[in-house]
Structures are given as C-alpha cells and as structure tokens.
Amino acid sequence: MDLPVFQIERLTNLLKGACTEWQFKFTAQTESTNSDLKLYPAQMLEKPFLLITDEQLGGRGQLSKKWAANPGENILCSIALKPKKSKGLQLLGLLTAVSIVEAISKLNSSIQAEIKWPNDVLINGKKVAGILVETQYVANSVEKVIIGFGLNVNQALFDGELKKSATSLLNELNRKTERESLLASILNTFAIWYELWEDEDPAILSAIHSKLIGFETYINLRKVGGKILHPKVWFLGVDMNGRLGILDENGEHKWFEHEQLRVERI
C-alpha cells in the first residue's frame, strides 16, 4: 500500500513570521532525525534547521526509550537551534509541548491536551506526542540544541503496551488530519515562543503552567522507575531556569534541575 509522502513545499507555503526564514529538509527514511542533526556543523545553524521524515527506524524518547510510529502517518521531526543563551534550555521542550497543545486545540477546541512533565503531551491520559531535547557543547558553551518530537496523527492502531498508553489525533477526532498544515501550525507558534524565550519573557511560564498537569495542586513527586521522593506536595510549576518546583511537607521551597522525576496527580 502506498503511503502519503510528506510534502515539504506544502509545509513551507503555510509558514508565517520568523520560521519563513528557517531551513528545511525532508528525508523519506532515517534512523533518527535527532542523531542526523547532531552531525550537522554548527555553522549551518545560523538559522533554525528542521529535518522531517516519514519513517524513523531508531526513533527514541527520554531515557533511550524507543519511539514507535507507523511510516507515513505521523509527524516525526527535529529542530536544530543555535541559541544565544544557555539559561533555561529545559523550557524549550516544554514550549514545544505548548505549541503542540495549541495546534491540537485549533483542530478541535473540545480536545483537552495536557503537558506531562517533562516531555509528553497527553489526551485523556494517553500519550499523543513525545519530545526529546538534546544539547551539544563545545568548550562548556552551547553549540546547538536539538528538539526532536513525534506526534501521533493518523495512526489508528498501536502494538503491545502502547494499546493502553498511546493515542492519536485520528482516534480522538475520528478523522484524518493533514500533517503539513498541522506541523505548520506548531512551527508558527513555536517560533513566537522561541523569541519570547530568548527575551526571557515571563509570559512563557504562564503558557506552560496553563497546560501543565498538576500545576498548583497537590502531587506526588516520584523518581523515574523508583520510589516517591515527596508525597503530597504542592506543585509550583517551573521557573525561568527550567527547574521544577515544589512546596514540600515542611513548607520549604525545593527546586529540581534534572528530568528523572515524574509528577503524579493525587
């Protein structure tokens, strides 16, 4: 069966604002778009570079988990950036998630997508998108940041454990969605958030918190794959450094910089 090939020209015709100046490349199949962009020299990234594929053979998410997606049905891409600063890099993944949530809302405002710290987008508790942010350094300075994301668009069926934990826009909307216009919507929005991030505009925190699961409620803070570190604590959200904050059981503010934590609703 012939699958629809992603139309890069269609995508670029739908772009607005800052991302009309970006660089774009489509490849039908690759091992990993993040891994590919790691090999691109930094001098190619004076403008953001987006690499998109119809099939990833070795797609991966956080903690090296495999990202499985049917070819030709989903959005599988990575953005390489050369940011002017290193503060708050963790926020770029969350702002990518905000852009995805906002694009989904534009498709159907009744679909309530949410952000699960630090890198997932959920609909009704099921994962519809995952984000992987990787940073390359040269002599302790940021050389490039690569934001990879996979969004389940027109995939109807999932295998194994994903049957219970994953969903797609097709399953939620009961109709197919054009991938090119959806990705354009995500990129147009992300380009705005990226400029605000560079300017350290606090509006980015409001956008993240409005969609972040557990914000300003009591949560359990758990170590990935392990025990609960802090039971029933108040979730303060994130700060401009990208740190996760809680008000602990002793009434003390605590901030965490690493991603090996999970927020659980109570």
Side-chain angles (χ1 to χ4, degrees):
M1 180 178 66
D2 291 333
L3 292 168
V5 175
F6 190 90
Q7 301 298 313
I8 196 75
E9 184 176 353
R10 166 72 174 158
L11 168 69
T12 56
N13 287 338
L14 293 169
L15 296 175
K16 303 173 183 177
C19 54
T20 59
E21 302 297 321
W22 288 17
Q23 306 170 86
F24 297 89
K25 181 180 178 181
F26 168 77
T27 181
Q29 181 189 81
T30 188
E31 191 70 20
S32 161
T33 52
N34 263 37
S35 296
D36 289 348
L37 286 178
K38 285 181 179 179
L39 301 176
Y40 280 44
Q43 56 264 34
M44 289 182 62
L45 305 178
E46 295 305 321
K47 297 179 181 179
F49 195 113
L50 181 129
L51 177 63
I52 183 164
T53 186
D54 270 337
E55 183 176 14
Q56 273 194 140
L57 302 177
R60 55 196 166 82
Q62 293 284 344
L63 307 177
S64 298
K65 290 183 179 179
K66 184 177 180 181
W67 181 268
N70 289 352
E73 296 182 340
N74 304 299
I75 291 175
L76 305 166
C77 64
S78 297
I79 306 167
L81 304 168
K82 193 175 179 181
K84 299 173 184 177
K85 61 171 190 158
S86 59
K87 177 184 176 182
L89 293 176
Q90 170 63 28
L91 293 174
L92 292 176
L94 291 167
L95 290 172
T96 303
V98 168
S99 303
I100 292 171
V101 170
E102 292 180 346
I104 292 172
S105 179
K106 290 174 184 175
L107 292 175
N108 187 326
S109 60
S110 68
I111 301 295
Q112 298 298 312
E114 302 175 289
I115 301 171
K116 181 182 178 182
W117 168 273
N119 63 310
D120 292 337
V121 176
L122 308 183
I123 299 176
N124 296 322
K126 292 187 176 183
K127 186 171 179 176
V128 71
I131 299 156
L132 176 64
V133 180
E134 297 182 292
T135 305
Q136 288 185 292
Y137 294 87
V138 173
N140 296 320
S141 296
V142 175
E143 181 186 43
K144 66 177 103 160
V145 176
I146 301 170
I147 307 169
F149 63 92
L151 173 57
N152 298 329
V153 183
N154 295 320
Q155 182 167 335
L157 302 175
F158 297 88
D159 296 327
E161 295 180 357
L162 294 180
K163 288 181 180 179
K164 294 182 178 180
S165 62
T167 189
S168 68
L169 297 182
L170 173 64
N171 291 340
E172 299 297 329
L173 299 171
N174 294 313
R175 61 176 171 84
K176 288 191 173 183
T177 299
E178 184 193 85
R179 293 181 296 158
E180 293 83 356
S181 58
L182 177 59
L183 181 55
S185 178
I186 294 168
L187 297 179
N188 287 333
T189 301
F190 177 78
I192 295 170
W193 289 124
Y194 182 60
E195 289 186 351
L196 293 175
W197 172 82
E198 287 193 315
D199 293 339
E200 299 190 19
D201 191 319
I204 64 177
L205 297 187
S206 298
I208 292 168
H209 290 154
S210 69
K211 300 164 180 63
L212 187 61
I213 290 174
F215 175 62
E216 291 191 338
T217 66
Y218 284 105
I219 60 159
N220 291 327
L221 191 63
R222 183 185 294 274
K223 191 172 182 179
V224 172
K227 64 179 182 180
I228 294 177
L229 294 178
H230 295 279
K232 198 177 180 181
V233 292
W234 190 255
F235 186 24
L236 299 172
V238 297
D239 65 6
M240 291 299 288
N241 292 305
R243 300 179 302 173
L244 178 150
I246 63 168
L247 187 66
D248 73 8
E249 37 285 60
N250 298 315
E252 296 181 3
H253 290 78
K254 290 190 174 180
W255 296 92
F256 301 87
E257 295 186 3
H258 56 87
E259 300 174 355
Q260 309 309 312
L261 299 170
R262 291 295 179 265
V263 171
E264 294 180 347
R265 280 189 174 119
I266 296 178

